[in-house]
Amino acid sequence: MLTGATLEKSPTLRRYYEVLSAGADRYEDGRTLLPLLSEDFVFEGPIAGRIAGGDRFAHGVRGFIEAVHDITVLQAVVTSDAAAVLYDAKLPDATVRFSEFFVFDGDRIRELRIQYNAAEYLAGGGH
């Protein structure tokens, strides 16, 4: 379930967080996520490091989708070409705070940088 601050300024972001919070049984191995990512998509995060390509990201984010029970967006700053989102993700054994920084290419996500406490995430049941 997705709750909290509105993401109405960006249909792409709203859909992205809907996919993350919909559960693994609705994820369809990335088919719901890949249309939101540009062809030259790049991700950077504490556990995965820097990876290029939407397919690799879609495969890797499945572990998060399997673990998360709820996402509460606390704050979102959205412009036409970038966004920053602060949210809490409820995991099996903890709630972990995340901040994500997006760069858009039209209506697709070209870059995503994420910050969170990796040890807290893993201890809370993330994978």
Side-chain angles (χ1 to χ4, degrees):
M1 176 174 34
L2 177 64
T3 58
T6 182
L7 297 171
E8 295 307 314
K9 288 184 180 180
S10 173
T12 301
L13 273 185
R14 186 181 70 246
R15 182 68 185 132
Y16 170 79
Y17 286 107
E18 287 171 353
V19 169
L20 290 188
S21 63
D25 58 328
R26 297 182 68 196
Y27 185 57
E28 300 178 13
D29 293 326
R31 287 190 295 274
T32 55
L33 183 63
L34 287 172
L36 303 174
L37 308 178
S38 71
E39 289 184 26
D40 58 347
F41 176 79
V42 175
F43 170 82
E44 188 174 320
I47 294 176
R50 183 176 173 86
I51 59 172
D55 289 331
R56 288 187 62 205
F57 175 73
H59 176 74
V61 79
R62 183 176 182 84
F64 175 84
I65 292 170
E66 290 172 345
V68 72
H69 296 288
D70 183 43
I71 293 175
T72 301
V73 176
L74 303 171
Q75 190 168 7
V77 178
V78 181
T79 69
S80 61
D81 60 352
V85 179
L86 180 69
Y87 66 93
D88 286 343
K90 184 176 181 184
L91 302 171
D93 300 318
T95 298
V96 179
R97 180 149 299 164
F98 291 79
S99 53
E100 293 188 319
F101 303 90
F102 298 85
V103 175
F104 300 114
D105 182 7
D107 62 352
R108 293 185 174 215
I109 301 166
R110 186 177 73 225
E111 295 178 22
L112 171 55
R113 285 176 286 139
I114 186 170
Q115 294 295 317
Y116 60 94
N117 183 317
E120 186 178 295
Y121 170 73
L122 294 171
H127 55 280

PDB file of all heavy atoms in Angstrom, residues 69-94:
ATOM      1  N   HIS A  69       6.101  -3.999   3.035  1.00  0.00           N
ATOM      2  CA  HIS A  69       4.680  -4.156   3.350  1.00  0.00           C
ATOM      3  C   HIS A  69       3.906  -2.870   3.101  1.00  0.00           C
ATOM      4  O   HIS A  69       2.701  -2.901   2.890  1.00  0.00           O
ATOM      5  CB  HIS A  69       4.498  -4.572   4.811  1.00  0.00           C
ATOM      6  CG  HIS A  69       5.073  -5.905   5.127  1.00  0.00           C
ATOM      7  ND1 HIS A  69       4.508  -7.080   4.704  1.00  0.00           N
ATOM      8  CD2 HIS A  69       6.183  -6.248   5.821  1.00  0.00           C
ATOM      9  CE1 HIS A  69       5.238  -8.094   5.140  1.00  0.00           C
ATOM     10  NE2 HIS A  69       6.266  -7.619   5.806  1.00  0.00           N
ATOM     11  N   ASP A  70       4.596  -1.740   3.179  1.00  0.00           N
ATOM     12  CA  ASP A  70       3.936  -0.445   3.021  1.00  0.00           C
ATOM     13  C   ASP A  70       4.990   0.610   2.746  1.00  0.00           C
ATOM     14  O   ASP A  70       6.104   0.533   3.269  1.00  0.00           O
ATOM     15  CB  ASP A  70       3.165  -0.090   4.303  1.00  0.00           C
ATOM     16  CG  ASP A  70       2.386   1.205   4.176  1.00  0.00           C
ATOM     17  OD1 ASP A  70       1.755   1.425   3.128  1.00  0.00           O
ATOM     18  OD2 ASP A  70       2.418   2.009   5.134  1.00  0.00           O
ATOM     19  N   ILE A  71       4.648   1.574   1.923  1.00  0.00           N
ATOM     20  CA  ILE A  71       5.502   2.733   1.668  1.00  0.00           C
ATOM     21  C   ILE A  71       4.702   3.966   2.041  1.00  0.00           C
ATOM     22  O   ILE A  71       3.590   4.159   1.551  1.00  0.00           O
ATOM     23  CB  ILE A  71       5.941   2.807   0.194  1.00  0.00           C
ATOM     24  CG1 ILE A  71       6.874   1.646  -0.139  1.00  0.00           C
ATOM     25  CG2 ILE A  71       6.612   4.147  -0.103  1.00  0.00           C
ATOM     26  CD1 ILE A  71       7.274   1.567  -1.606  1.00  0.00           C
ATOM     27  N   THR A  72       5.288   4.786   2.915  1.00  0.00           N
ATOM     28  CA  THR A  72       4.667   6.051   3.289  1.00  0.00           C
ATOM     29  C   THR A  72       5.563   7.179   2.796  1.00  0.00           C
ATOM     30  O   THR A  72       6.682   7.358   3.301  1.00  0.00           O
ATOM     31  CB  THR A  72       4.497   6.164   4.818  1.00  0.00           C
ATOM     32  OG1 THR A  72       3.689   5.081   5.267  1.00  0.00           O
ATOM     33  CG2 THR A  72       3.826   7.478   5.193  1.00  0.00           C
ATOM     34  N   VAL A  73       5.095   7.904   1.792  1.00  0.00           N
ATOM     35  CA  VAL A  73       5.851   9.033   1.264  1.00  0.00           C
ATOM     36  C   VAL A  73       5.706  10.188   2.249  1.00  0.00           C
ATOM     37  O   VAL A  73       4.594  10.603   2.577  1.00  0.00           O
ATOM     38  CB  VAL A  73       5.354   9.430  -0.138  1.00  0.00           C
ATOM     39  CG1 VAL A  73       6.082  10.677  -0.632  1.00  0.00           C
ATOM     40  CG2 VAL A  73       5.567   8.284  -1.124  1.00  0.00           C
ATOM     41  N   LEU A  74       6.844  10.674   2.730  1.00  0.00           N
ATOM     42  CA  LEU A  74       6.860  11.754   3.713  1.00  0.00           C
ATOM     43  C   LEU A  74       6.955  13.118   3.058  1.00  0.00           C
ATOM     44  O   LEU A  74       6.340  14.083   3.508  1.00  0.00           O
ATOM     45  CB  LEU A  74       8.028  11.561   4.684  1.00  0.00           C
ATOM     46  CG  LEU A  74       8.039  10.222   5.422  1.00  0.00           C
ATOM     47  CD1 LEU A  74       9.335  10.042   6.177  1.00  0.00           C
ATOM     48  CD2 LEU A  74       6.834  10.119   6.337  1.00  0.00           C
ATOM     49  N   GLN A  75       7.764  13.188   1.996  1.00  0.00           N
ATOM     50  CA  GLN A  75       7.947  14.450   1.305  1.00  0.00           C
ATOM     51  C   GLN A  75       8.412  14.170  -0.113  1.00  0.00           C
ATOM     52  O   GLN A  75       9.181  13.236  -0.348  1.00  0.00           O
ATOM     53  CB  GLN A  75       8.973  15.311   2.027  1.00  0.00           C
ATOM     54  CG  GLN A  75       9.047  16.722   1.532  1.00  0.00           C
ATOM     55  CD  GLN A  75       9.870  17.604   2.461  1.00  0.00           C
ATOM     56  OE1 GLN A  75      10.496  17.133   3.409  1.00  0.00           O
ATOM     57  NE2 GLN A  75       9.880  18.891   2.200  1.00  0.00           N
ATOM     58  N   ALA A  76       7.934  14.986  -1.032  1.00  0.00           N
ATOM     59  CA  ALA A  76       8.347  14.860  -2.427  1.00  0.00           C
ATOM     60  C   ALA A  76       8.491  16.248  -3.027  1.00  0.00           C
ATOM     61  O   ALA A  76       7.613  17.102  -2.860  1.00  0.00           O
ATOM     62  CB  ALA A  76       7.328  14.054  -3.220  1.00  0.00           C
ATOM     63  N   VAL A  77       9.608  16.474  -3.698  1.00  0.00           N
ATOM     64  CA  VAL A  77       9.845  17.703  -4.432  1.00  0.00           C
ATOM     65  C   VAL A  77      10.006  17.278  -5.893  1.00  0.00           C
ATOM     66  O   VAL A  77      10.907  16.496  -6.219  1.00  0.00           O
ATOM     67  CB  VAL A  77      11.100  18.440  -3.932  1.00  0.00           C
ATOM     68  CG1 VAL A  77      11.357  19.688  -4.756  1.00  0.00           C
ATOM     69  CG2 VAL A  77      10.968  18.764  -2.449  1.00  0.00           C
ATOM     70  N   VAL A  78       9.125  17.781  -6.740  1.00  0.00           N
ATOM     71  CA  VAL A  78       9.067  17.319  -8.124  1.00  0.00           C
ATOM     72  C   VAL A  78       9.110  18.513  -9.064  1.00  0.00           C
ATOM     73  O   VAL A  78       8.362  19.475  -8.897  1.00  0.00           O
ATOM     74  CB  VAL A  78       7.771  16.510  -8.377  1.00  0.00           C
ATOM     75  CG1 VAL A  78       7.718  16.007  -9.811  1.00  0.00           C
ATOM     76  CG2 VAL A  78       7.651  15.357  -7.391  1.00  0.00           C
ATOM     77  N   THR A  79      10.024  18.442 -10.049  1.00  0.00           N
ATOM     78  CA  THR A  79      10.047  19.424 -11.130  1.00  0.00           C
ATOM     79  C   THR A  79       9.822  18.671 -12.438  1.00  0.00           C
ATOM     80  O   THR A  79       9.629  17.460 -12.429  1.00  0.00           O
ATOM     81  CB  THR A  79      11.395  20.182 -11.180  1.00  0.00           C
ATOM     82  OG1 THR A  79      12.424  19.272 -11.592  1.00  0.00           O
ATOM     83  CG2 THR A  79      11.749  20.788  -9.828  1.00  0.00           C
ATOM     84  N   SER A  80       9.895  19.367 -13.537  1.00  0.00           N
ATOM     85  CA  SER A  80       9.657  18.709 -14.824  1.00  0.00           C
ATOM     86  C   SER A  80      10.763  17.731 -15.203  1.00  0.00           C
ATOM     87  O   SER A  80      10.532  16.786 -15.957  1.00  0.00           O
ATOM     88  CB  SER A  80       9.496  19.747 -15.931  1.00  0.00           C
ATOM     89  OG  SER A  80      10.679  20.518 -16.044  1.00  0.00           O
ATOM     90  N   ASP A  81      11.983  17.923 -14.668  1.00  0.00           N
ATOM     91  CA  ASP A  81      13.085  17.047 -15.071  1.00  0.00           C
ATOM     92  C   ASP A  81      13.786  16.331 -13.920  1.00  0.00           C
ATOM     93  O   ASP A  81      14.754  15.604 -14.141  1.00  0.00           O
ATOM     94  CB  ASP A  81      14.103  17.816 -15.900  1.00  0.00           C
ATOM     95  CG  ASP A  81      14.723  19.000 -15.161  1.00  0.00           C
ATOM     96  OD1 ASP A  81      14.269  19.328 -14.055  1.00  0.00           O
ATOM     97  OD2 ASP A  81      15.667  19.591 -15.703  1.00  0.00           O
ATOM     98  N   ALA A  82      13.295  16.500 -12.670  1.00  0.00           N
ATOM     99  CA  ALA A  82      13.942  15.842 -11.535  1.00  0.00           C
ATOM    100  C   ALA A  82      12.971  15.756 -10.358  1.00  0.00           C
ATOM    101  O   ALA A  82      11.950  16.437 -10.333  1.00  0.00           O
ATOM    102  CB  ALA A  82      15.200  16.609 -11.124  1.00  0.00           C
ATOM    103  N   ALA A  83      13.331  14.922  -9.399  1.00  0.00           N
ATOM    104  CA  ALA A  83      12.522  14.794  -8.181  1.00  0.00           C
ATOM    105  C   ALA A  83      13.379  14.249  -7.055  1.00  0.00           C
ATOM    106  O   ALA A  83      14.377  13.570  -7.283  1.00  0.00           O
ATOM    107  CB  ALA A  83      11.332  13.868  -8.432  1.00  0.00           C
ATOM    108  N   ALA A  84      12.946  14.545  -5.838  1.00  0.00           N
ATOM    109  CA  ALA A  84      13.523  13.968  -4.625  1.00  0.00           C
ATOM    110  C   ALA A  84      12.358  13.502  -3.768  1.00  0.00           C
ATOM    111  O   ALA A  84      11.392  14.242  -3.573  1.00  0.00           O
ATOM    112  CB  ALA A  84      14.359  14.994  -3.880  1.00  0.00           C
ATOM    113  N   VAL A  85      12.433  12.259  -3.290  1.00  0.00           N
ATOM    114  CA  VAL A  85      11.345  11.684  -2.508  1.00  0.00           C
ATOM    115  C   VAL A  85      11.926  11.068  -1.247  1.00  0.00           C
ATOM    116  O   VAL A  85      12.885  10.296  -1.302  1.00  0.00           O
ATOM    117  CB  VAL A  85      10.578  10.614  -3.320  1.00  0.00           C
ATOM    118  CG1 VAL A  85       9.468   9.994  -2.487  1.00  0.00           C
ATOM    119  CG2 VAL A  85      10.023  11.207  -4.613  1.00  0.00           C
ATOM    120  N   LEU A  86      11.329  11.406  -0.112  1.00  0.00           N
ATOM    121  CA  LEU A  86      11.687  10.844   1.181  1.00  0.00           C
ATOM    122  C   LEU A  86      10.522   9.964   1.619  1.00  0.00           C
ATOM    123  O   LEU A  86       9.367  10.411   1.622  1.00  0.00           O
ATOM    124  CB  LEU A  86      11.914  11.971   2.194  1.00  0.00           C
ATOM    125  CG  LEU A  86      12.302  11.556   3.605  1.00  0.00           C
ATOM    126  CD1 LEU A  86      13.709  10.957   3.610  1.00  0.00           C
ATOM    127  CD2 LEU A  86      12.229  12.766   4.536  1.00  0.00           C
ATOM    128  N   TYR A  87      10.819   8.707   1.964  1.00  0.00           N
ATOM    129  CA  TYR A  87       9.742   7.806   2.369  1.00  0.00           C
ATOM    130  C   TYR A  87      10.217   6.796   3.396  1.00  0.00           C
ATOM    131  O   TYR A  87      11.408   6.537   3.528  1.00  0.00           O
ATOM    132  CB  TYR A  87       9.119   7.097   1.166  1.00  0.00           C
ATOM    133  CG  TYR A  87      10.016   6.131   0.429  1.00  0.00           C
ATOM    134  CD1 TYR A  87      10.040   4.779   0.751  1.00  0.00           C
ATOM    135  CD2 TYR A  87      10.817   6.562  -0.622  1.00  0.00           C
ATOM    136  CE1 TYR A  87      10.844   3.878   0.058  1.00  0.00           C
ATOM    137  CE2 TYR A  87      11.614   5.676  -1.325  1.00  0.00           C
ATOM    138  CZ  TYR A  87      11.628   4.336  -0.977  1.00  0.00           C
ATOM    139  OH  TYR A  87      12.427   3.446  -1.663  1.00  0.00           O
ATOM    140  N   ASP A  88       9.243   6.249   4.120  1.00  0.00           N
ATOM    141  CA  ASP A  88       9.483   5.142   5.038  1.00  0.00           C
ATOM    142  C   ASP A  88       8.931   3.873   4.416  1.00  0.00           C
ATOM    143  O   ASP A  88       7.801   3.871   3.906  1.00  0.00           O
ATOM    144  CB  ASP A  88       8.800   5.381   6.391  1.00  0.00           C
ATOM    145  CG  ASP A  88       9.499   6.421   7.238  1.00  0.00           C
ATOM    146  OD1 ASP A  88      10.667   6.736   6.967  1.00  0.00           O
ATOM    147  OD2 ASP A  88       8.857   6.922   8.188  1.00  0.00           O
ATOM    148  N   ALA A  89       9.715   2.808   4.462  1.00  0.00           N
ATOM    149  CA  ALA A  89       9.287   1.503   3.955  1.00  0.00           C
ATOM    150  C   ALA A  89       9.167   0.555   5.132  1.00  0.00           C
ATOM    151  O   ALA A  89      10.138   0.343   5.870  1.00  0.00           O
ATOM    152  CB  ALA A  89      10.278   0.958   2.935  1.00  0.00           C
ATOM    153  N   LYS A  90       7.977   0.009   5.301  1.00  0.00           N
ATOM    154  CA  LYS A  90       7.764  -0.968   6.373  1.00  0.00           C
ATOM    155  C   LYS A  90       8.183  -2.333   5.859  1.00  0.00           C
ATOM    156  O   LYS A  90       7.622  -2.857   4.894  1.00  0.00           O
ATOM    157  CB  LYS A  90       6.305  -0.980   6.810  1.00  0.00           C
ATOM    158  CG  LYS A  90       6.078  -1.904   7.974  1.00  0.00           C
ATOM    159  CD  LYS A  90       4.658  -1.843   8.476  1.00  0.00           C
ATOM    160  CE  LYS A  90       4.563  -2.795   9.649  1.00  0.00           C
ATOM    161  NZ  LYS A  90       3.242  -2.903  10.168  1.00  0.00           N
ATOM    162  N   LEU A  91       9.183  -2.910   6.520  1.00  0.00           N
ATOM    163  CA  LEU A  91       9.712  -4.227   6.186  1.00  0.00           C
ATOM    164  C   LEU A  91       9.225  -5.220   7.241  1.00  0.00           C
ATOM    165  O   LEU A  91       8.580  -4.822   8.213  1.00  0.00           O
ATOM    166  CB  LEU A  91      11.236  -4.165   6.145  1.00  0.00           C
ATOM    167  CG  LEU A  91      11.837  -3.159   5.158  1.00  0.00           C
ATOM    168  CD1 LEU A  91      13.326  -3.044   5.365  1.00  0.00           C
ATOM    169  CD2 LEU A  91      11.504  -3.534   3.743  1.00  0.00           C
ATOM    170  N   PRO A  92       9.535  -6.496   7.105  1.00  0.00           N
ATOM    171  CA  PRO A  92       9.052  -7.466   8.091  1.00  0.00           C
ATOM    172  C   PRO A  92       9.445  -7.154   9.537  1.00  0.00           C
ATOM    173  O   PRO A  92       8.648  -7.360  10.454  1.00  0.00           O
ATOM    174  CB  PRO A  92       9.689  -8.778   7.623  1.00  0.00           C
ATOM    175  CG  PRO A  92       9.854  -8.612   6.157  1.00  0.00           C
ATOM    176  CD  PRO A  92      10.200  -7.158   5.971  1.00  0.00           C
ATOM    177  N   ASP A  93      10.666  -6.628   9.752  1.00  0.00           N
ATOM    178  CA  ASP A  93      11.144  -6.437  11.115  1.00  0.00           C
ATOM    179  C   ASP A  93      11.546  -5.010  11.453  1.00  0.00           C
ATOM    180  O   ASP A  93      12.131  -4.776  12.520  1.00  0.00           O
ATOM    181  CB  ASP A  93      12.343  -7.369  11.381  1.00  0.00           C
ATOM    182  CG  ASP A  93      11.967  -8.836  11.211  1.00  0.00           C
ATOM    183  OD1 ASP A  93      10.876  -9.212  11.676  1.00  0.00           O
ATOM    184  OD2 ASP A  93      12.758  -9.588  10.615  1.00  0.00           O
ATOM    185  N   ALA A  94      11.282  -4.054  10.583  1.00  0.00           N
ATOM    186  CA  ALA A  94      11.666  -2.666  10.844  1.00  0.00           C
ATOM    187  C   ALA A  94      11.025  -1.747   9.810  1.00  0.00           C
ATOM    188  O   ALA A  94      10.580  -2.196   8.755  1.00  0.00           O
ATOM    189  CB  ALA A  94      13.187  -2.512  10.783  1.00  0.00           C
TER     190      ALA A  94
END
